[in-house]
Amino acid sequence: MSSPMTSSASWQLFWAFLRVGLLGFGGGPAMIPLVRAEVVTRHHWLTDEEFADVLAIGNTLPGPIATKMPGYIGYRVSGISGCIAAVVAIILPMIVAMIVMLGIFSRYRDVGWIRGMGQAVVPVVMIMMAQLTWDFFDKSKASLGWLVSIVMAITSGGLIYWLGVHPGWVIGAILLAALLRPKSNKKAEGSA
């Protein structure tokens, strides 16, 4: 039996991710700034650093980020019931919208304003993604310095876009390097 606190947290998770699901036009990556706004800014369930870690690990795993992040965050905040509440809340608007929109689209696909709706959302999603990119660059610059941040961004971009390396491999390599680095620093500090 769940406690009132867990039940309350599950409902908060449900409403938070329902808002994301309702307003998250453009798919999973476009939802990331909305998830951050709910989870970090509004409810303070995670810090920016924890959110960045969840995003990085979520990107290395197979499947859509739109369900992985809410599932993990929900579980972290309120256990299994929180996980279920967050995932149901994020997918419910998508399922309903897909059924309704596909019905409308198939019936009125040649109408100009129907085509224009999809095109009009693209610049808004672009700005949301740019804002998230800038926020992450600021955090990276604060923790690693601007030179290391730029070198890592250019290197990652080159590997992903020009060489076709899957982003999961790049993120996995960075996580592995981060895991291995503190051990060598601790040994150096211990011998000094």
Side-chain angles (χ1 to χ4, degrees), residues 27-29 32 54-55 57-59 63-70:
I32 293 169
V54 171
L55 179 61
I57 291 169
N59 276 318
I65 193 78
T67 54
K68 289 184 285 190
M69 287 183 72

Side-chain angles (χ1 to χ4, degrees), residues 17 32 35-36 39-40 45-61 64-77 136 171 175:
F17 283 104
I32 293 169
V35 172
R36 182 184 169 278
V39 171
V40 176
W45 289 322
L46 299 177
T47 65
D48 273 322
E49 291 77 20
E50 291 169 330
F51 183 81
D53 291 342
V54 171
L55 179 61
I57 291 169
N59 276 318
T60 63
L61 299 172
I65 193 78
T67 54
K68 289 184 285 190
M69 287 183 72
Y72 172 76
I73 294 165
Y75 182 78
R76 182 170 170 168
V77 171
F136 278 125
I171 293 169
L175 290 174

Side-chain angles (χ1 to χ4, degrees), residues 2 12 14 16 19 23-24 35 45-46 53 64 67 69 77 95 105-106 112 119 134-135 147-148 153 167-168 172 184:
S2 64
Q12 286 180 339
F14 181 84
R19 279 189 295 273
L23 301 173
V35 172
W45 289 322
L46 299 177
D53 291 342
T67 54
M69 287 183 72
V77 171
I95 292 169
F105 181 74
S106 66
Q119 295 168 348
W134 185 256
D135 289 347
L147 182 61
V148 173
S184 62

Side-chain angles (χ1 to χ4, degrees), residues 130-188:
Q131 174 70 40
L132 184 67
T133 301
W134 185 256
D135 289 347
F136 278 125
F137 179 72
D138 274 348
K139 286 169 189 52
S140 176
K141 189 173 64 171
S143 63
L144 299 173
W146 68 270
L147 182 61
V148 173
S149 297
I150 290 173
V151 168
M152 286 183 71
I154 291 170
T155 303
S156 298
L159 289 170
I160 293 167
Y161 292 109
W162 291 304
L163 297 179
V165 176
H166 190 278
W169 289 111
V170 176
I171 293 169
I174 292 169
L175 290 174
L176 182 62
L179 287 173
L180 296 176
R181 185 172 179 201
K183 291 180 183 177
S184 62
N185 286 345
K186 287 179 184 175
K187 288 179 186 175

Side-chain angles (χ1 to χ4, degrees), residues 4-17:
M5 183 67 145
T6 304
S7 179
S8 172
S10 294
W11 277 110
Q12 286 180 339
L13 283 160
F14 181 84
W15 292 115
F17 283 104

